[in-house]
Amino acid sequence: MKPMGPIPPDFAEQRGVLAIAGRAAAEWADAGTPLFVYDPAIVAARVRRFRAAFADVDLHYAIKANPLPALLAAIGPLVDGLDVASAGELDRALAVKPPASISFAGPGKRDDELAAAIAAGATLHCESKGEAARTLAIAGRLGIRPRVAARVNPDVELKGSGMKMGGRPSPFGVDADRVPALVRLLIDGGADWRGFHVYAGSQALSAEAVADTQAATVALAARLAEEVGAAPPLVNLGGGFGIPYFAGDLPLDIDAVGMRLAATLAHRPPILAATRFAIELGRWLVAEAGVYLARVVDRKESGGETFLILDGGLHHQLAASGNFGTVVRRNYPLAVAHRMGEPATETASVVGPLCTPLDRLGDRVALPRAEPGDLVAVFLAGAYGATASPSAFLGHPPAAEIVAAR
Ligand SMILES: *Cc1c(COP(=O)(O)O)cnc(C)c1O
């Protein structure tokens, strides 16, 4: 038997039949399985948690975590900005938020993507000198003053994060020592310089590590601003707030992060006195709001092990199979949907229908017994689910995605 991660708090106390947004899992599944159900009330509660912990800091949603239009429509009004990373995401963001609150980061922005962002009035996060030159040239042709921030490849990294994105050679952003020259190039070229964007990592659960990174980022922004000789209107401090996915993970103490950031900002260097600060979050806002429901198609024994074979798998929920950026495969929280809170009576491996041994959503997990026709819930499916999975692999239909009414 191998441990599972913790069932998220909104579901952990449930007994009997799993309810999502007040409706039984089986009712949601009437529409057909497999499917994702998202509860926007859970996202709204996360936003309130953030607001309580961070006074006077903007909250951005990094939409790559879950760009489903109906979910974006629910989140847009709750947050101060949306961060996108392609022209496709830009279109979705523009449908729910004014352009001035949208920023577009990502290496390898094509000319047509730069043009779309400039024409819309979104803020481009410039990732290289070459991109700066293309941005200015395209803006010149369009006759529009582009809004541009500099994305910094920081000389700090987010310690203990699942995915480190700073403190090393990187395709993302511009090395800190090259940033002042880049910003001067943008300002001299007529751009409306919006400030700095620093993203140092993802999925961090240590408040101390996040707070240290934020403090280092504020110091870095001040140093760069001094070298540029101009005050940045906005500093996007990145995010990296993690959520507990696996056994032993504890939630990030965001109140502690908020207190440390308030102290950091209270003592910030004078050049940042009028600067606004933003935190951009993806998974922390949406992961716990989503449940992936799949039906047991078959159960069988092999070599003394029990296998539950579902109609859903890694083609919809790659992350739960451990094949989306994890070094060691560990189990996401799972449950038999009509036996919440019942004691486990067997150890089973929960697998998907794909012809690959990678398609395993639960490796030797302890569960109450499930029979063909029963529903299995995979929690933490609100982020990096449908759009981060190889849905064309093996030709199964896509999963439905449903946003519960608030
Ligand atoms: C992916 C990404 C995020 C969101 O990361 P989460 O771990 O989902 O919070 C935020 N900012 C940037 C620049 C990203 O690339």
Side-chain angles (χ1 to χ4, degrees):
M1 200 263 282
K2 295 194 174 173
M4 286 187 290
I7 292 179
D10 294 280
F11 305 101
E13 304 303 320
Q14 293 192 16
R15 296 290 172 265
V17 176
L18 170 67
I20 307 163
R23 250 180 109 192
E27 271 182 65
W28 290 114
D30 274 348
T33 53
L35 81 165
F36 290 88
V37 184
Y38 308 116
D39 183 356
I42 294 177
V43 183
R46 300 295 274 189
V47 172
R48 287 194 296 275
R49 283 271 289 125
F50 180 93
R51 300 291 187 199
F54 298 89
D56 214 32
V57 172
D58 287 352
L59 172 61
H60 291 193
Y61 175 47
I63 84 168
K64 81 168 185 281
N66 192 329
L68 186 71
L71 190 65
L72 271 186
I75 299 175
L78 306 178
V79 296
D80 305 298
L82 295 175
D83 295 339
V84 306
S86 70
E89 287 193 349
L90 176 64
D91 284 344
R92 290 186 181 203
L94 285 167
V96 302
K97 207 75 189 155
S101 63
I102 298 172
S103 43
F104 184 170
K109 299 182 201 72
R110 297 186 311 263
D111 284 359
D112 62 297
E113 293 183 303
L114 296 173
I118 294 164
T123 300
L124 282 162
H125 287 184
C126 185
E127 310 247 354
S128 77
K129 197 173 161 187
E131 190 180 285
R134 286 192 294 130
T135 299
L136 293 173
I138 291 166
R141 277 204 295 282
L142 294 174
I144 299 172
R145 187 175 186 214
R147 298 164 62 90
V148 189
R151 178 160 177 194
V152 183
N153 174 29
D155 35 25
V156 294
E157 70 174 16
L158 177 49
K159 289 194 195 67
S161 68
M163 212 175 279
K164 293 188 180 63
M165 314 250 311
R168 57 184 64 193
S170 170
F172 307 107
V174 176
D175 291 357
D177 59 352
R178 297 169 186 253
V179 166
L182 180 93
V183 173
R184 290 266 29 122
L185 180 84
L186 289 166
I187 293 174
D188 295 346
D192 177 9
W193 176 55
R194 303 306 307 159
F196 299 117
H197 173 214
V198 184
Y199 182 71
S202 174
Q203 181 52 21
L205 293 174
S206 157
E208 198 189 351
V210 173
D212 286 351
T213 302
Q214 289 178 342
T217 302
V218 171
L220 173 63
R223 200 181 83 214
L224 295 173
E226 292 289 354
E227 287 182 44
V228 170
L234 180 78
V235 171
N236 180 328
L237 296 167
F241 292 16
I243 57 153
Y245 282 106
F246 305 118
D249 285 355
L250 292 175
L252 174 68
D253 181 353
I254 70 154
D255 296 317
V257 177
M259 262 156 32
R260 282 271 315 270
L261 182 58
T264 298
L265 294 183
H267 299 104
R268 64 192 189 254
I271 196 160
L272 301 180
T275 298
R276 283 210 63 78
F277 294 85
I279 290 176
E280 54 175 358
L281 300 177
R283 76 184 75 230
W284 190 86
L285 286 174
V286 295
E288 295 185 348
V291 181
Y292 179 64
L293 293 172
R295 214 175 275 288
V296 180
V297 175
D298 201 359
R299 61 172 289 145
K300 67 195 224 186
E301 313 288 324
S302 170
E305 265 191 54
T306 299
F307 290 86
L308 293 175
I309 302 171
L310 307 183
D311 62 1
L314 75 74
H315 53 310
H316 301 148
Q317 204 14 345
L318 183 68
S321 77
N323 294 293
F324 187 66
T326 33
V327 180
V328 181
R329 196 208 167 285
R330 291 183 292 170
N331 290 316
Y332 271 43
L334 308 176
V336 177
H338 68 293
R339 296 188 185 278
M340 292 292 290
E342 287 188 19
T345 51
E346 67 179 11
T347 297
S349 284
V350 180
V351 304
L354 304 190
C355 260
T356 163
L358 299 178
D359 193 8
R360 187 172 284 237
L361 300 178
D363 185 27
R364 281 162 282 172
V365 290
L367 290 173
R369 189 180 169 96
E371 297 291 344
D374 290 344
L375 291 170
V376 169
V378 183
F379 296 98
L380 305 175
Y384 304 108
T387 62
S389 301
S391 60
F393 189 34
L394 272 146
H396 290 278
E401 294 186 273
I402 302 179
V403 178
R406 280 187 68 197

